[in-house]
Amino acid sequence: MKGYVFHGPGRSAWEDLPDPDLKEPTDAIVRVDAVTICGTDLHILKGDVPEVRPGTVLGHEAVGEIVEVGTDVRTVRPGDRVLVSCITACGRCRYCREGAYGQCLGGGGWILGHLINGTQAEYVRVPHADLSVHPLPGAVADEDAVLLADIFPTAYEVGVLNGRVRPGDTVVVVGAGPIGLAAVATARLFAPERVVVVDLAAARLEAARKLGADAVADAREEPEQLVADFTGGLGADVVIEAVGVPETFEMCTRMVRAGGHVANIGVHGRPATLHLEDLWIKNITITTGLVDTRSTPTLLRMTASGRLPTAQLVTHTFPLERMEEAYEVFSAAADTGALKVVLGGPQHEVVAADAV
C-alpha cells in the first residue's frame, strides 16, 4: 500500500509500505476511503511532538470500509462503512470507565499517527475496534463524516463543554482555523448572546461570520478592547484558545471576565506565561484537554439530521495519491484559503474560503 510517512522534522513522503496486519484479536483493518489533514499533523512535521518517531504514518482521522476484524471484535464486520475516531479506547481501564478515553491506559488514547501508524494511507490497523470505530449511516457523506473524527468533537468537548458555555454568554474564539470554526458552530447550540471570533486572516473571519459568529476582529486591531466594549468592560464569559501559541493564550487570559473560563484547545509547542500576578484574584478557570470523543455518537446523529455545518468547512479535495500536494495547500492556508482538506471520496473543484 501507499502511506504518508514522517521522516523527522521537515521531512515526509507518500511512499510504498507493507499492508497492515491484525496484531490483536480486538483489531480491525480499514480500507481508507476519505482522510483529512489536521493542524496537529503540521505540529508533528515541525518537530513539536517529539513522541512521533521517524517512519510513522501520519493521520488520525478517516472514513473507510472494514476489510478484516480480529476474533474478539463484536460491533463491526467486513463490509461495514465506519468512521475511524482519532482516539482509541480499551474500554476497561480507569479512564475509559470514566469516559476519559483520551487518557486510556490500556493501549489507547491518541495513538494513530502518533505512537503507531495512522490513517493517511490506503489501509490502517485500528486497535480496540469495538470502541474506536463508529458505523456510519448511508445518509452521511464521507467528507461530512471525516470531520467528526477529530475537529468537531475536539471543539465541542475541549472548547465548548470544558468552557461551560451557557445561554446568554459572550463567547470569544481566538483562532478561526477548522477547530475554531467548529467551536463557533457548536457554541451556537447553547444560545450564547454573542460569539466573537479573532484571527489574522480576513477569509477565515468571513468564514466565521457565515458559520454564525456575531462579530469578528483582526488580531492586530485591539480585539481586547472590542470585547470590553461589548461587555461593558466586564470581559468574556468564555474564551476558547484555538491557535496554540503563547501570544494567543495570554490574550485569552486578558479577555476573560472574573469568574469566567478559558478553554485551551490549541496544541502548544512552546511555553506560555501564566500571569498569576494578575489572575490569582479573578477566580478564573483554565482548562486544557485532549479530546475523548465521547460526544461522537451525538455529533453523528446531529450531522445525519442536518444540524451541523460540517461540509461548509471543506474547501479542498484531492485523491489520496496527491497527499503531498494536499499538505502544501493546507500548510499555506493563509495563501490558499484552505480550511479542511479532504482526500479520497468524491472529487470536486477547489472552493475558495470566501465561498464557505
Side-chain angles (χ1 to χ4, degrees):
M1 72 170 189
K2 294 275 193 179
Y4 193 67
V5 181
F6 171 70
H7 289 294
R11 296 184 293 117
S12 54
W14 178 253
E15 60 189 54
D16 290 315
L17 296 164
D19 291 345
D21 296 318
L22 296 173
K23 293 185 177 181
E24 301 291 340
T26 52
D27 289 350
I29 305 297
V30 177
R31 185 197 71 215
V32 174
D33 294 331
V35 69
T36 185
I37 302 171
C38 180
T40 304
D41 298 321
L42 300 185
H43 281 281
I44 292 170
L45 289 174
K46 289 191 294 184
D48 289 344
V49 189
E51 299 86 2
V52 182
R53 296 181 178 180
T56 302
V57 176
L58 295 183
H60 49 267
E61 308 156 89
V63 170
E65 181 178 310
I66 300 284
V67 296
E68 189 177 3
V69 296
T71 55
D72 288 352
V73 175
R74 298 289 182 266
T75 61
V76 291
R77 60 186 180 182
D80 286 351
R81 179 170 167 262
V82 296
L83 170 68
V84 178
S85 176
C86 67
I87 297 297
T88 300
C90 77
R92 296 184 176 89
C93 71
R94 172 180 174 173
Y95 288 116
C96 284
R97 287 178 179 273
E98 295 174 354
Y101 305 127
Q103 304 301 323
C104 175
L105 297 172
W110 174 37
I111 58 174
L112 291 170
H114 180 207
L115 305 179
I116 67 171
N117 284 338
T119 58
Q120 290 171 3
E122 294 174 322
Y123 293 89
V124 60
R125 179 181 71 91
V126 182
H128 304 299
D130 280 337
L131 283 174
S132 307
V133 301
H134 301 268
L136 287 172
V140 179
D142 286 357
E143 64 181 43
D144 291 314
V146 76
L147 301 193
L148 302 180
D150 184 353
I151 68 162
F152 269 89
T154 295
Y156 182 57
E157 295 176 17
V158 185
V160 175
L161 296 184
N162 279 3
R164 298 187 182 180
V165 175
R166 296 179 300 179
D169 277 354
T170 293
V171 179
V172 178
V173 179
V174 178
I179 290 282
L181 294 174
V184 172
T186 51
R188 300 298 309 177
L189 300 172
F190 290 84
E193 179 181 359
R194 64 177 65 87
V195 176
V196 182
V197 177
V198 179
D199 200 277
L200 292 169
R204 290 192 166 192
L205 292 175
E206 182 59 26
R209 282 190 183 277
K210 293 180 178 180
L211 282 166
D214 300 288
V216 299
D218 188 309
R220 295 161 292 203
E221 297 179 2
E222 299 186 352
E224 297 164 52
Q225 185 60 52
L226 176 66
V227 172
D229 292 343
F230 275 137
T231 60
L234 194 65
D237 301 285
V238 181
V239 186
I240 296 173
E241 201 283 343
V243 181
V245 298
E247 295 80 6
T248 54
F249 175 78
E250 293 170 31
M251 178 193 296
C252 290
T253 63
R254 293 193 298 269
M255 288 195 289
V256 68
R257 68 168 173 83
H261 289 75
V262 175
N264 182 87
I265 305 177
V267 177
H268 289 264
R270 292 183 287 137
T273 300
L274 183 62
H275 288 283
L276 285 176
E277 74 277 14
D278 298 322
L279 299 175
W280 72 271
I281 201 170
K282 296 182 67 176
N283 294 14
I284 290 169
T285 299
I286 298 174
T287 56
T288 65
L290 174 66
V291 65
D292 294 312
T293 67
R294 63 183 181 274
S295 67
T296 301
T298 298
L299 297 173
L300 182 56
R301 291 193 301 272
M302 295 181 69
T303 301
S305 63
R307 297 291 302 277
L308 287 180
T310 47
Q312 293 185 46
L313 273 69
V314 178
T315 54
H316 298 71
T317 61
F318 298 89
L320 275 176
E321 62 268 19
R322 290 169 60 189
M323 185 71 69
E324 292 176 346
E325 180 183 352
Y327 260 91
E328 291 174 2
V329 168
F330 185 66
S331 62
D335 299 319
T336 63
L339 294 175
K340 284 303 281 184
V341 171
V342 174
L343 297 101
Q347 303 301 306
H348 59 66
E349 295 298 319
V350 169
V351 178
D354 59 9
V356 172

